[in-house]
Amino acid sequence: MAFILNKLYIRNWILENDMPEFIKIVTFSIPNLIEAIIVTLISTGILLQMRQHFSKKFGSMKIKHVHILASSVTTIYVISQELKFHNLGGNNVYDPYDLIASFIGLIGTFGLIRLFGFADKTGIDTRD
């Protein structure tokens, strides 16, 4: 929802009203922040499901390692997209502020997952 509001309304309003540069940078970098957060959460969830489903092969993998692996894979995906190695997430224009927003999203989400764990309804502890 925030992404759609930002793309369709907030960006246009900020450009029309000649807002300060800092506000423009933040507004145009929000999608990268959101992408980093969402992809980190999704990849963590997928890896935790794989760990549970394929418990014979991956059951002994520590939760910390699952978090690190998910964050690493997401970092490679997001940064390679920003550096134009691929366009899997959309048509990107390189901007160093987008790269910074992506790093903030990646590091912040990793920190929150490590601090609070990951929601799990199966009763299996997903914290270390």
Side-chain angles (χ1 to χ4, degrees):
M1 184 69 163
F3 179 80
I4 294 169
L5 286 173
N6 183 39
K7 181 107 174 158
L8 298 178
Y9 299 108
I10 297 172
R11 284 182 179 186
N12 293 334
W13 184 83
I14 286 176
L15 290 174
E16 290 171 1
N17 291 305
D18 195 34
M19 299 299 286
E21 192 67 25
F22 174 76
I23 302 292
K24 290 178 187 176
I25 291 169
V26 169
T27 303
F28 280 86
S29 297
I30 284 175
N32 298 83
L33 177 79
I34 293 171
E35 178 186 37
I37 292 168
I38 290 173
V39 175
T40 302
L41 292 174
I42 289 172
S43 61
T44 302
I46 289 169
L47 287 175
L48 287 171
Q49 286 293 318
M50 286 177 60
R51 179 179 176 264
Q52 180 180 347
H53 187 22
F54 301 109
S55 61
K56 289 181 182 177
K57 290 186 179 182
F58 302 113
S60 63
M61 186 179 207
K62 292 183 179 182
I63 297 297
K64 177 169 75 171
H65 296 143
V66 171
H67 295 164
I68 292 169
L69 180 60
S71 295
S72 299
V73 169
T74 303
T75 300
I76 291 168
Y77 165 75
V78 169
I79 301 306
S80 64
Q81 179 186 11
E82 286 302 318
L83 298 176
K84 301 284 249 171
F85 293 146
H86 64 81
N87 273 332
L88 295 175
N91 191 10
N92 276 351
V93 175
Y94 175 76
D95 181 5
Y97 298 113
D98 290 348
L99 205 54
I100 293 168
S102 295
F103 273 122
I104 291 169
L106 291 164
I107 292 168
T109 306
F110 176 75
L112 289 173
I113 289 171
R114 292 297 304 142
L115 184 64
F116 295 112
F118 202 85
D120 185 13
K121 294 183 180 182
T122 64
I124 298 172
D125 186 16
T126 57
R127 294 183 73 187
D128 287 328

